């Protein structure tokens, strides 16, 4: 926004026909209602990429189901740090003290206890007290600093760790919501829809895991349909089942069908989420699932789940130390199972209402925890996972937007490598929202642009533009603007920045209504990626045979 030499103020810029709209500002204090337009001749304009003509065509392209894009982000901006060396060392020492003096419980798994005993830990029942430095040594000696998760389409394989960021859909919601049908239990059709959406957008790099729970299927068999959906409806990387060791094994066996067993043993094709039962407990289910994946050289996101005040102390430093201790013990255990098994230092931290006990999101304290733990992960030398577009809102409203934006942006700045819960999360994770998914995808696109950093090339410096225009003129018609106008700024397909009159003429829609329309268009235009028919048949046969081999159960 700015004045030209005649006192006009630029309010909008329509790059499809290089038309600018000005409003007369006589006093530079109050805008009058005089409107003028000019249109530059763009027939010979140099542009970086040729596209179809017309504003409608360009808008359609921006909102269409496109799958092009980079498979992951490599950041070109530095990490943001909140603690210095002394502060981080203090947290590390406190975590080591927790492991040695208080210990961590490995429940219901004698094999795990035996591995720890052989490694030098003190075993008291199911309590494992680990000497200072042992976990850190186990992890640093063998866990990779970064690794590739291979997709069935090699062009979509992702690199996890280092300066790389992989954006992943939300995970685990039993309910879904949209403007047409409201809040309801999720079905397999909903699960398939979200996999299609994640596949279609260029801004999410991963198909995710349990994007929503298809509760219309038996609990003990639904993982087979979910894993098959990821494999068939998308060719991006995916997450495996962890709700029982045998379900983790089913995921591995299906991946052997998809990729071939020899490839699986030497490469990571599955990643999964292993949650600690905070505070300081690893239960039999999570230990068993972790062991299945680690033995098979598949990646585990070892992730404590802490609501400060309930599952960890209320203070930032104490929560950070507990998170580090829990994650460190889990990652070290993976190395005892198989040295070199890829692990990701995961964390999920939220504050809570001290009046009601409900978790709260988008607040400052958990964001500080993310910065601290991200720094600890880099010092340890492993990839880092955190959220995400977290929020407590019940619908895709202003609360959902600002809480999600807070968590997304802080996670971006902290240097999250595997950003689980990027898109769709509502109601503290109970709900996957179609409209929120689309709105969060827009935020993901902005993360892409921000992490590209500052262009310092000759074109980025723009000195030719400054020389051409000089004092007191505008840059709308100069060569530099005409060469860059299509891609100079990130262009949201959700936000409306037209005039009130145009917004009204377009139906007075809010962001959720616009997102609903885009979502439907993406699903209508979805095209299933190709798959070898023999592989697809083998996967379907595996799913059928496994389902027939045991009765349905709701646990």
């Amino acid at each position: 926004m700015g004045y030209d030499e005649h006192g006009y103020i630029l309010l909008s810029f329509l790059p499809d026909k290089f038309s600018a709209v000005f409003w007369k500002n006589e006093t530079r204090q109050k805008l009058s209602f005089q409107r003028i337009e000019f249109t530059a001749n763009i027939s010979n304009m140099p542009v970086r990429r040729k596209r179809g003509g017309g504003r409608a065509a360009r808008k359609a392209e921006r909102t269409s189901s496109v799958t092009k894009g980079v498979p992951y982000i490599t950041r070109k901006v530095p990490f943001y740090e909140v603690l210095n060396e002394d502060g981080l060392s203090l947290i590390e020492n406190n975590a080591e003290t927790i492991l040695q003096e208080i210990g961590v419980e490995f429940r219901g798994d004698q094999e795990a206890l035996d591995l720890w005993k052989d490694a030098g830990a003190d075993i008291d029942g199911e309590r494992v007290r680990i000497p200072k430095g042992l976990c850190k040594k186990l992890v640093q000696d063998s866990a990779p600093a970064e690794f590739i998760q291979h997709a069935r389409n090699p062009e979509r394989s992702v690199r996890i760790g280092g300066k790389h960021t992989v954006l992943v859909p939300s995970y685990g919601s039993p309910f879904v919501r949209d403007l047409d049908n409201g809040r309801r239990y999720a079905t397999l059709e909903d699960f398939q829809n979200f996999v299609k959406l994640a596949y279609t957008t260029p801004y999410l790099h991963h198909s995710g895991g349990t994007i929503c729970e298809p509760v219309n299927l038996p609990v003990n068999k639904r993982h087979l349909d979910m894993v098959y959906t990821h494999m068939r409806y998308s060719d991006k990387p995916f997450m495996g089942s962890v709700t029982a060791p045998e379900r983790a094994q089913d995921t591995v066996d299906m991946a052997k069908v998809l990729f071939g067993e020899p490839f699986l043993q030497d490469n990571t094709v599955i990643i999964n989420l292993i949650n600690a039962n905070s505070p300081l407990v690893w239960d039999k289910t999570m230990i068993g699932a972790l062991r299945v994946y680690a033995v098979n050289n598949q990646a585990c996101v070892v992730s404590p789940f802490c609501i400060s005040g309930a599952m960890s102390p209320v203070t930032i430093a104490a929560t950070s130390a507990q998170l580090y201790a829990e994650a460190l013990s889990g990652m070290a255990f993976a190395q005892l199972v198989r040295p070199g098994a890829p692990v990701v230092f995961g964390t999920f931290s939220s504050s809570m209402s001290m009046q009601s006990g409900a978790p709260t999101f988008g607040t400052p304290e958990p964001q500080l925890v993310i910065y601290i733990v991200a720094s600890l992960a880099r010092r340890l030398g492993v990839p880092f996972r955190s959220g995400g577009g977290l929020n407590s809102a019940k619908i895709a409203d202003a609360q959902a937007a600002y809480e999600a934006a807070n968590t997304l942006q802080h996670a971006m700045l902290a240097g999250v490598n595997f950003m689980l819960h990027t898109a769709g999360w509502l109601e503290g994770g109970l709900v996957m929202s179609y409209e929120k998914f689309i709105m969060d995808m827009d935020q993901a696109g902005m993360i892409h642009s921000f992490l590209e950093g500052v262009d310092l090339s000759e074109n980025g410096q723009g000195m030719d533009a400054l020389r051409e225009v000089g004092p007191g003129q505008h840059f709308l018609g100069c060569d530099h603007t005409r060469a860059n106008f299509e891609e100079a700024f990130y262009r949201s397909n959700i936000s409306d920045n037209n005039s009130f009159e145009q917004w009204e003429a377009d139906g007075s829609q809010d962001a959720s209504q616009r997102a609903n329309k885009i979502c439907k268009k993406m699903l209508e235009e979805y095209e299933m990626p190709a798959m070898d028919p023999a592989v697809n048949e083998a996967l379907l046969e595996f799913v059928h045979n496994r389902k027939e081999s045991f009765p349905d159960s709701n646990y």
Side-chain angles (χ1 to χ4, degrees):
M1 180 179 289
Y3 300 101
D4 76 348
E5 70 273 25
H6 302 295
Y8 291 98
I9 185 168
L10 172 65
L11 285 184
S12 65
F13 175 51
L14 311 178
D16 52 346
K17 60 178 182 178
F18 206 72
S19 174
V21 179
F22 290 83
W23 294 80
K24 181 69 173 176
N25 183 5
E26 301 288 357
T27 65
R28 306 215 170 185
Q29 293 178 347
K30 180 179 179 182
L31 294 176
S32 69
F33 293 97
Q34 180 181 354
R35 170 174 170 159
I36 66 170
E37 294 191 17
F38 78 88
T39 302
N41 181 0
I42 64 168
S43 59
N44 297 315
M45 283 186 183
V47 294
R48 285 188 281 179
R49 185 172 70 245
K50 185 176 180 181
R51 301 184 182 182
R55 180 184 181 191
R58 296 182 193 281
K59 182 175 181 180
E61 180 177 334
R62 293 196 302 274
T63 58
S64 68
S65 56
V66 294
T67 55
K68 59 190 176 183
V70 296
Y72 55 89
I73 300 169
T74 299
R75 67 188 297 130
K76 298 176 184 176
V77 300
F79 304 111
Y80 188 82
E81 306 277 358
V82 299
L83 286 185
N84 59 18
E85 170 67 27
D86 290 342
L88 293 173
S89 295
L90 177 66
I91 301 295
E92 288 172 331
N93 184 66
N94 288 348
E96 294 278 12
T97 300
I98 292 169
L99 292 172
Q100 179 169 281
E101 296 183 7
I102 302 171
V104 180
E105 290 192 0
F106 281 74
R107 293 182 178 174
D109 195 308
Q110 187 59 47
E111 183 179 347
L113 297 173
D114 291 342
L115 283 171
W116 276 117
K117 183 177 181 179
D118 292 343
D122 176 54
I123 310 300
D124 180 11
E126 294 182 321
R127 183 77 62 92
V128 179
R129 292 181 173 86
I130 307 169
K132 286 188 177 182
L134 176 58
C135 285
K136 189 173 183 179
K137 183 177 187 329
L138 288 168
V139 173
Q140 290 185 327
D141 281 355
S142 61
E146 55 184 78
F147 60 90
I148 295 173
Q149 184 187 359
H150 294 270
R152 71 177 177 94
N153 178 355
E155 294 183 358
R156 302 197 192 281
S157 297
V158 296
R159 182 173 288 276
I160 300 173
K163 292 185 177 182
H164 313 297
T165 297
V166 176
L167 302 181
V168 190
S170 293
Y171 183 109
S173 303
F175 299 98
V176 296
R177 172 183 283 278
D178 62 36
L179 291 180
D180 301 294
N181 301 296
R183 184 182 189 269
R184 62 194 186 280
Y185 280 108
T187 65
L188 180 60
E189 181 181 4
D190 291 308
F191 185 90
Q192 292 169 342
N193 283 342
F194 281 112
V195 170
K196 292 176 182 179
L197 292 171
Y199 167 70
T200 298
T201 176
Y203 297 134
L204 296 178
H205 314 111
H206 209 275
S207 194
T210 307
I211 303 183
C212 59
E213 283 278 355
V215 298
N216 59 327
L217 301 178
V219 171
N220 64 334
K221 296 181 179 180
R222 64 179 61 154
H223 66 286
L224 295 163
D225 295 281
M226 289 190 284
V227 172
Y228 174 76
T229 297
H230 283 302
M231 292 179 167
R232 184 65 191 94
Y233 287 71
S234 176
D235 60 7
K236 293 181 178 181
F238 61 91
M239 301 179 72
S241 177
V242 296
T243 51
E246 59 270 23
R247 297 169 197 169
Q249 187 62 55
D250 284 339
T251 306
V252 171
D253 291 340
M254 292 176 71
K256 290 177 181 178
V257 174
L258 184 63
F259 291 93
E261 186 168 357
F263 186 86
L264 189 79
Q265 288 302 318
D266 294 329
N267 298 278
T268 297
V269 302
I270 307 166
I271 196 168
N272 62 87
L273 179 62
I274 304 294
N275 281 128
N277 190 355
S278 301
L280 301 171
V281 171
W282 292 102
D283 63 42
K284 183 177 181 179
T285 298
M286 292 290 98
I287 298 169
L290 183 152
R291 182 185 292 108
V292 169
Y293 287 116
V295 163
N296 287 280
N297 194 41
Q298 302 308 299
C300 294
V301 179
V302 181
S303 191
F305 186 102
C306 286
I307 300 175
S308 296
M311 301 154 74
S312 70
V314 295
T315 55
I316 294 165
T319 292
S320 299
Q322 179 186 316
L323 285 169
Y324 190 35
E326 290 174 339
L328 194 55
S329 65
M331 291 186 290
F333 176 68
Q335 303 313 302
L336 293 177
V337 172
R338 176 170 173 163
V343 291
V344 177
F345 185 158
T347 184
F348 184 97
S349 175
S350 78
S351 51
M352 65 180 288
S353 167
M354 302 307 291
Q355 288 70 44
S356 68
T360 53
F361 300 97
T363 53
E365 295 81 11
Q367 315 314 321
L368 289 168
V369 171
I370 287 178
Y371 287 113
I372 293 168
V373 183
S375 297
L376 295 173
R378 286 191 290 273
R379 287 160 67 90
L380 186 62
V382 292
F384 178 61
R385 170 261 163 166
S386 194
L390 313 179
N391 64 92
S392 300
K394 311 308 178 283
I395 60 175
D397 59 6
Q399 179 186 345
Y402 69 71
E403 289 182 355
N406 275 344
T407 57
L408 283 166
Q409 291 173 21
H410 285 294
M412 172 189 71
L413 293 172
V416 169
N417 301 118
F418 191 80
M419 195 181 292
L420 189 60
H421 308 313
T422 299
W425 173 294
L426 272 186
E427 207 175 316
L430 289 174
V431 171
M432 273 291 292
S433 161
Y434 282 88
E435 290 80 21
K436 178 70 161 39
F437 194 91
I438 302 300
M439 295 162 74
D440 287 336
M441 279 167 31
D442 191 40
Q443 293 288 310
M446 296 184 193
I447 290 173
H448 273 255
S449 292
F450 185 89
L451 292 180
E452 273 294 311
V454 179
D455 178 11
L456 295 177
S457 68
E458 183 176 349
N459 179 70
Q461 295 173 59
M463 294 302 295
D464 288 346
L466 289 158
R467 292 187 180 99
E468 177 184 346
V469 174
Q473 304 299 313
H474 60 70
F475 290 84
L476 286 166
C478 77
D479 291 341
H480 184 265
T481 302
R482 290 186 290 176
N484 290 278
F485 76 93
E486 281 196 302
E487 298 178 351
F489 309 116
Y490 177 81
R491 297 171 67 187
S492 169
N493 63 353
I494 295 293
S495 299
D496 184 289
N497 48 26
N498 290 322
S499 67
F500 173 81
E501 291 79 12
Q502 183 62 53
W503 171 77
E504 195 171 44
D506 289 341
S508 307
Q509 294 186 336
D510 62 21
S512 290
Q513 292 169 314
R514 293 191 291 273
N516 178 272
K517 184 177 180 180
I518 292 169
C519 181
K520 290 176 179 176
K521 181 176 177 62
M522 290 175 68
L523 291 174
E524 288 172 2
E525 296 182 350
Y526 164 81
E527 295 181 7
M528 185 180 292
M531 175 181 276
D532 183 338
V535 172
N536 185 46
E537 184 177 344
L539 285 170
L540 290 172
E541 182 180 6
F542 178 91
V543 170
H544 173 77
N545 290 340
R546 282 293 290 150
K547 286 184 176 181
E548 291 295 312
S549 68
F550 52 91
D552 293 355
S553 172
N554 285 322
Y555 59 90

